[in-house]
C-alpha cells in the first residue's frame, strides 16, 4: 500500500525515535543488578516508567490493584468509541511506540501499552490484585510495600497512580423519578443513543467521551449542560502543535493571540461560547471538532448553568447568562431528554500510602507536580499523579 508523503514522514520519525532513544529490553529471565524499584500502577505511565527502568538495568516490581485486564490504566476502562484527542505524534509515551494512525482509538492505545509491557518482560515483574496501602522505610532505609517483607525491599518507589480512579457518579435530586436512562460517560459500550434526545451533564474531558458516543450512535439531539464555559480547540495536528509551542504551559502576555484566532476562525458565529474570564492556558481545553458542527446543524446545544435536579422527562436547569458565576441567578427551564450521560469525571486516586512527611509545607499540591521528588524522600518519584492526600473522593 502506497503511503501518503506526510504519513511516510510520520512513520520515519517514529522509526528514528525508536532506534535512537529506546532502551534495550532485557533478555528473558535476566537478573538485573542495579537498584530495585517499586512502580505503583500498571497504567500508561507505570508501564512506560517500568520499561525505561528495566531497559537501563534496574530491577523492577510493578504493583497493580486490578487484574491483567487493568494494564493500561484508565484506557483499559473507557469506551471503545473513545480515542486520542491530540495527534499521536504528540502522545509518544515511549520511544518504541509505533502508531499507525494519527488519532488512535481506545483499543489501539491499550494495544500499544500492552505490547510495551510484554516487550520489556514486565509480565513476570507485575504483581496483580495487589493494592498498595503503605510504603514505609525500614531501619536500613529501604522501602517496604504494604508492611510485607515477602515483596522484597526497594531502593526507590515510583508512584504512577495517575489522575483517574473509579468513575464519579454523584446522586442528583429526584434522579429516581426520571423515566429515561442514566449512564456514566465511561460506561457506554453496548448502549445506543439512536433517535434519542441525549443530555450530557458536564463540560470537561468526560464530555468529549460522551460526545464521541453520541456522534457514533446517531442521536436525534444533544444538549450539553455545563457549569462553565470551556475552551474548545479543533482536533487538528497543526493547530494543536502550534498551541503546544507555549513551553511555559500557562498564560503569557501573548496568549491573547491564539485566543483571538480561535474565536475568529473556529468559534466564529458561536463566539459567545468562548470563555471571557479564563485564559486558554489556565486549564486543559476540550479537543473536539464535532460539537460546533452539531450545534450549527441544530442537532446539539450548549447550555451554561446549574443542574437543579431530575424531572420525569429530563433535567431542571438554571440557565445563566454569560459572565454570571457558578451558582448565580438565572432562568429555570426544563431540558427534556430520553438519556442522561453523567460526564462527571473520576475520583482522584488516593496517595494515602505515602509517608506523612512528604506532605509538609511548602511541598504540597500542586508544587509536587513541578518538582517530582519531595525533598524529604529523594527516592520517591511521582509520575503523572495529581498530588492528593487522603481517600478517593475526599
Amino acid at each position: 500500500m502506497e503511503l501518503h508523503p506526510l504519513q511516510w514522514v510520520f512513520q520515519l520519525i517514529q522509526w528514528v525515535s525508536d532506534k535512537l532513544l529506546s532502551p534495550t529490553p532485557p533478555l528473558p529471565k535476566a537478573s538485573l543488578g542495579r537498584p530495585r524499584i517499586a512502580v505503583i500502577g500498571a497504567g500508561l505511565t507505570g508501564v512506560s516508567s517500568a520499561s525505561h527502568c528495566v531497559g537501563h538495568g534496574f530491577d523492577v516490581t510493578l504493583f497493580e490493584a486490578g487484574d491483567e485486564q487493568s494494564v493500561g490504566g484508565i484506557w483499559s476502562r473507557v469506551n471503545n468509541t473513545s480515542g486520542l484527542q491530540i495527534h499521536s505524534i504528540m502522545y509518544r509515551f515511549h520511544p518504541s511506540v509505533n502508531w499507525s494512525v494519527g488519532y488512535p482509538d481506545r483499543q489501539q492505545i491499550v494495544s500499544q501499552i500492552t505490547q510495551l509491557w510484554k516487550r520489556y518482560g514486565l509480565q513476570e515483574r507485575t504483581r496483580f490484585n495487589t493494592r498498595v496501602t503503605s510504603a514505609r522505610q525500614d531501619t536500613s532505609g529501604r522501602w517496604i510495600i504494604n508492611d510485607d517483607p515477602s515483596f522484597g525491599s526497594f531502593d526507590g518507589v515510583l508512584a504512577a497512580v495517575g489522575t483517574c480512579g473509579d468513575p464519579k457518579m454523584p446522586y442528583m435530586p429526584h434522579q429516581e423519578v426520571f423515566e429515561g436512562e442514566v449512564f456514566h460517560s465511561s460506561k457506554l459500550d453496548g448502549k445506543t443513543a439512536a433517535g434519542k434526545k441525549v443530555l450530557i451533564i458536564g463540560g470537561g474531558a468526560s464530555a468529549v467521551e460522551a460526545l464521541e458516543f453520541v456522534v457514533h450512535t446517531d442521536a436525534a439531539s444533544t444538549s450539553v449542560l455545563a457549569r462553565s464555559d470551556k475552551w474548545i480547540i479543533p482536533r487538528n495536528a497543526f493547530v494543536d502543535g502550534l498551541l503546544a509551542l507555549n513551553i511555559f504551559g500557562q498564560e503569557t502576555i501573548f496568549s491573547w493571540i491564539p485566543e483571538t484566532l480561535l474565536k475568529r476562525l473556529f468559534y466564529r458565529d458561536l463566539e459567545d461560547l468562548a470563555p471571557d474570564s479564563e485564559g486558554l492556558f489556565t486549564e486543559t481545553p476540550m479537543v473536539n471538532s464535532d460539537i460546533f458542527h452539531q450545534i450549527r446543524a441544530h442537532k446539539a446545544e450548549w447550555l451554561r448553568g446549574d443542574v437543579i435536579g431530575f424531572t420525569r422527562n429530563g433535567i431542571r436547569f438554571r440557565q445563566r447568562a454569560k459572565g454570571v458565576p457558578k451558582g448565580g441567578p438565572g432562568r429555570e427551564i426544563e431540558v427534556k431528554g430520553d438519556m442522561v450521560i453523567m460526564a462527571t469525571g473520576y475520583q482522584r486516586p488516593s496517595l494515602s500510602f505515602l509517608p506523612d512527611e512528604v506532605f509538609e509545607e511548602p511541598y504540597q499540591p500542586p508544587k509536587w507536580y513541578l518538582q517530582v521528588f519531595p525533598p524529604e524522600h529523594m527516592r520517591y518519584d511521582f509520575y503523572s499523579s495529581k498530588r492528593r492526600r487522603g481517600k478517593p473522593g475526599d
Side-chain angles (χ1 to χ4, degrees):
M1 183 178 67
E2 185 176 350
L3 290 177
H4 186 279
L6 289 179
Q7 190 174 2
W8 186 87
V9 171
F10 178 44
Q11 295 297 333
L12 177 63
I13 291 173
Q14 295 188 102
W15 183 84
V16 171
S17 172
D18 183 17
K19 296 303 179 184
L20 293 181
L21 302 176
S22 292
T24 303
L27 295 174
K29 307 296 183 180
S31 177
L32 303 178
R34 297 187 71 178
R36 297 195 69 204
I37 307 296
V39 178
I40 303 172
L44 182 150
T45 52
V47 171
S48 174
S49 301
S51 64
H52 275 290
C53 287
V54 299
H56 288 92
F58 289 87
D59 187 4
V60 169
T61 299
L62 192 59
F63 293 88
E64 168 56 44
D67 58 19
E68 188 170 335
Q69 299 302 313
S70 300
V71 172
I74 186 61
W75 284 112
S76 69
R77 305 195 299 272
V78 296
N79 308 305
N80 286 328
T81 54
S82 298
L84 202 58
Q85 294 302 306
I86 58 174
H87 196 279
S88 56
I89 200 169
M90 303 167 66
Y91 200 70
R92 300 196 55 75
F93 54 87
H94 191 274
S96 67
V97 167
N98 185 12
W99 300 114
S100 59
V101 295
Y103 294 93
D105 60 24
R106 172 255 181 195
Q107 292 175 315
Q108 292 168 315
I109 296 168
V110 172
S111 175
Q112 286 294 315
I113 299 171
T114 305
Q115 288 177 44
L116 179 64
W117 179 67
K118 294 179 178 179
R119 187 180 306 127
Y120 283 83
L122 296 175
Q123 309 100 303
E124 62 193 46
R125 301 177 182 278
T126 304
R127 288 183 174 270
F128 290 110
N129 302 306
T130 306
R131 182 177 297 278
V132 173
T133 57
S134 69
R136 302 286 183 263
Q137 284 183 304
D138 61 16
T139 54
S140 65
R142 293 173 66 83
W143 294 93
I144 306 298
I145 302 299
N146 290 352
D147 296 319
D148 188 347
S150 68
F151 292 140
S153 58
F154 300 89
D155 298 284
V157 178
L158 195 156
V161 296
T163 61
C164 298
D166 295 329
K168 187 188 297 181
M169 191 73 167
Y171 172 81
M172 294 190 175
H174 312 300
Q175 187 169 328
E176 66 281 355
V177 306
F178 180 55
E179 295 181 350
E181 302 169 298
V182 181
F183 303 106
H184 189 267
S185 59
S186 66
K187 304 293 184 182
L188 298 173
D189 281 346
K191 311 295 191 301
T192 181
K196 296 180 180 179
K197 297 179 180 178
V198 180
L199 310 182
I200 299 175
I201 298 179
S206 295
V208 174
E209 191 169 30
L211 284 167
E212 289 174 336
F213 163 78
V214 168
V215 171
H216 276 81
T217 57
D218 197 25
S221 66
T222 306
S223 298
V224 180
L225 311 181
R227 294 190 66 196
S228 59
D229 296 321
K230 300 284 185 181
W231 278 104
I232 303 173
I233 62 177
R235 200 181 192 192
N236 180 285
F238 179 72
V239 173
D240 297 346
L242 288 178
L243 294 176
L245 292 177
N246 179 4
I247 61 174
F248 300 103
Q250 59 187 5
E251 288 291 290
T252 70
I253 59 173
F254 301 108
S255 296
W256 65 271
I257 298 176
E259 292 168 2
T260 300
L261 290 174
L262 281 172
K263 289 179 180 179
R264 297 290 185 270
L265 303 179
F266 185 53
Y267 281 81
R268 303 197 308 273
D269 54 314
L270 300 174
E271 189 174 326
D272 179 67
L273 299 181
D276 281 338
S277 58
E278 298 291 335
L280 176 59
F281 298 101
T282 56
E283 59 180 39
T284 304
M286 290 177 62
V287 185
N288 190 275
S289 296
D290 291 322
I291 181 62
F292 290 160
H293 297 320
Q294 297 286 314
I295 292 174
R296 292 186 178 107
H298 303 290
K299 296 186 68 176
E301 60 180 349
W302 184 286
L303 302 178
R304 178 194 309 111
D306 303 288
V307 172
I308 300 172
F310 279 78
T311 67
R312 289 179 59 190
N313 301 310
I315 295 289
R316 177 69 61 184
F317 190 71
R318 182 180 297 109
Q319 188 174 10
R320 290 183 271 108
K322 191 178 183 69
V324 177
K326 298 176 185 178
R331 180 172 66 96
E332 290 193 13
I333 60 174
E334 181 184 26
V335 187
K336 294 187 176 182
D338 310 306
M339 175 185 289
V340 172
I341 300 176
M342 305 286 278
T344 44
Y346 299 85
Q347 304 281 358
R348 294 289 190 194
S350 173
L351 290 175
S352 59
F353 56 84
L354 302 180
D356 291 339
E357 55 266 31
V358 303
F359 295 95
E360 291 180 357
E361 294 283 359
Y363 301 99
Q364 291 190 342
K367 293 183 179 180
W368 282 0
Y369 182 79
L370 302 177
Q371 295 164 353
V372 183
F373 296 94
E376 289 296 324
H377 287 292
M378 295 301 289
R379 292 183 178 183
Y380 241 117
D381 180 20
F382 302 92
Y383 188 18
S384 189
S385 303
K386 296 288 186 182
R387 316 303 167 211
R388 186 178 181 88
R389 188 182 188 183
K391 299 177 181 179
D394 283 358

